[in-house]
Amino acid sequence: MPEIRIDALTGLRTIVAPDRATRGGSGTGLEVSPVPALAAADDPFREGHEHQTPPELHAVSSDPHRLPDTPGWSVRVVPNRYPALRPDAASDASEASARPDLFGAVPATGAHEVLITAPDPVMTLAELPAEQVVTAVEVWRQRMRTHADAAYVHLHVNERPEGGASREHTHAQLYAMDFVPALVARERERFGAYATQTMGSNLLGDLLQEEVRMRDRIVAIDDEAVLLAPYASRAPYQLMLVPRVPRMRFEDEGPSGARLLHEGLSRLARRFGAPPPLTLWVRTAPRGAEHFCWHVDVLPRLTPLAGLELGTGVHITTVSPELAAAELRAV
């Protein structure tokens, strides 16, 4: 039977409806095609193509004498060539000046960076060695700390064109915003309200404790973090990485869960025979948060968003989180 589940972190609702996976004419919608090879000439993020990107902001290299914008790096950070946010942004507010309550506009100030995960010409993090992902994640954290004065720093990875990647070579994007997005603010408020109701308990910490006790949605655990299929998953095989001990900010020193993140992506690749298209993002404490816990969400892009999702924000998943977790444990 279909079931409506409520996400404790956001309050958003998901309909879990496994029977819809076999409805007439739809198929499962969960097939994944093999990952094609990248064309070297068209890959600006490949080692040796440094001249095809804006000048680098940061790089990791084992060669202390390496010059900027030359080969010999393992992770590289550059400004986005087509930034959505700019430190010097200005807007034409002429239309908005008369009725700011109806036509509000402010300059899109901030920063927008590309973090090139590896020199290897691959599309997905699952295709990289675990150690390379650990190095890349440390750069993610470092760049987030660089923008510590922002109201919120959002970092995400789109994998494969079907997952929203405009450049196929694996990379992350960072947005340093001078505002807290509404969905992030919603989580901040729910963490705060829960702490008030429970005399200081951490919402995600308590949720994780219950998930580990029940074990139905646990995929894997290591010394740093826990990987699980969220109770109110918005998409089939959605995953969430949570630190074993609640920590406010992902960018702070301490466990990052990078190895377990790589393991989760590898399990998805084994389940489908190839890394699926996906988006993952880091949720860290925004400005104004007194109670929070970072987490990394992994959302496979296996089914399209349709009228219900786009019109109401209510998602339907045709694979229960319990089944997804069991399959991913098995692989």
Side-chain angles (χ1 to χ4, degrees), residues 200-211:
S201 292
N202 186 277
L203 173 58
L204 188 49
D206 284 1
L207 177 64
L208 181 62
Q209 186 175 27
E210 286 300 301
E211 289 284 13

Side-chain angles (χ1 to χ4, degrees), residues 71-299:
W73 50 273
S74 60
V75 181
R76 189 165 175 261
V77 181
V78 300
N80 194 297
R81 188 179 293 278
Y82 307 101
L85 303 172
R86 302 173 59 103
D88 58 349
S91 66
D92 181 0
S94 57
E95 291 187 6
S97 58
R99 290 294 304 271
D101 55 329
L102 297 179
F103 303 101
V106 296
T109 55
H112 187 182
E113 299 178 359
V114 175
L115 297 82
I116 305 170
T117 310
D120 311 61
V122 298
M123 286 190 188
T124 71
L125 292 168
E127 297 173 89
L128 295 172
E131 199 60 43
Q132 180 64 30
V133 174
V134 171
T135 301
V137 168
E138 285 306 311
V139 174
W140 297 358
R141 299 169 87 183
Q142 181 176 347
R143 295 309 298 174
M144 292 173 78
R145 289 194 294 268
T146 299
H147 299 285
D149 58 342
Y152 189 66
V153 180
H154 175 77
L155 186 142
H156 74 257
V157 175
N158 294 326
E159 292 196 342
R160 307 189 58 171
E162 309 96 309
S166 58
R167 289 292 184 184
E168 297 177 346
H169 188 127
T170 181
H171 65 283
Q173 293 191 63
L174 179 150
Y175 293 80
M177 306 174 176
D178 64 1
F179 64 96
V180 178
L183 187 59
V184 181
R186 185 177 184 135
E187 282 195 38
R188 179 185 62 191
E189 292 161 6
R190 291 180 71 88
F191 270 93
Y194 185 83
T196 299
Q197 295 164 7
T198 59
M199 302 295 290
S201 292
N202 186 277
L203 173 58
L204 188 49
D206 284 1
L207 177 64
L208 181 62
Q209 186 175 27
E210 286 300 301
E211 289 284 13
V212 171
R213 183 183 63 82
M214 292 184 290
R215 304 197 73 83
D216 292 341
R217 289 175 289 275
I218 299 296
V219 175
I221 300 175
D222 70 6
D223 292 340
E224 295 188 354
V226 178
L227 188 70
L228 57 91
Y231 172 72
S233 295
R234 286 181 283 169
Y237 301 92
Q238 181 177 347
L239 295 173
M240 182 165 63
L241 181 81
V242 184
R244 292 184 63 163
V245 177
R247 301 175 62 86
M248 292 250 311
R249 285 171 285 274
F250 178 78
E251 58 268 33
D252 288 348
E253 296 293 335
S256 70
R259 292 185 186 278
L260 193 59
L261 175 62
H262 180 264
E263 179 180 334
L265 299 174
S266 298
R267 285 176 183 262
L268 285 170
R270 292 198 295 273
R271 163 60 182 82
F272 292 104
L278 58 83
T279 296
L280 70 84
W281 61 90
V282 174
R283 181 73 82 235
T284 190
R287 179 181 292 171
E290 296 181 4
H291 304 274
F292 208 81
C293 179
W294 68 258
H295 50 97
V296 178
D297 293 276
V298 180
L299 194 75

Side-chain angles (χ1 to χ4, degrees), residues 278-329:
L278 58 83
T279 296
L280 70 84
W281 61 90
V282 174
R283 181 73 82 235
T284 190
R287 179 181 292 171
E290 296 181 4
H291 304 274
F292 208 81
C293 179
W294 68 258
H295 50 97
V296 178
D297 293 276
V298 180
L299 194 75
R301 308 284 287 275
L302 300 167
T303 55
L305 299 181
L308 185 69
E309 293 85 355
L310 295 172
T312 68
V314 177
H315 288 244
I316 297 178
T317 180
T318 56
V319 178
S320 73
E322 294 77 17
L323 176 60
E327 291 185 2
L328 293 173
R329 285 195 302 270

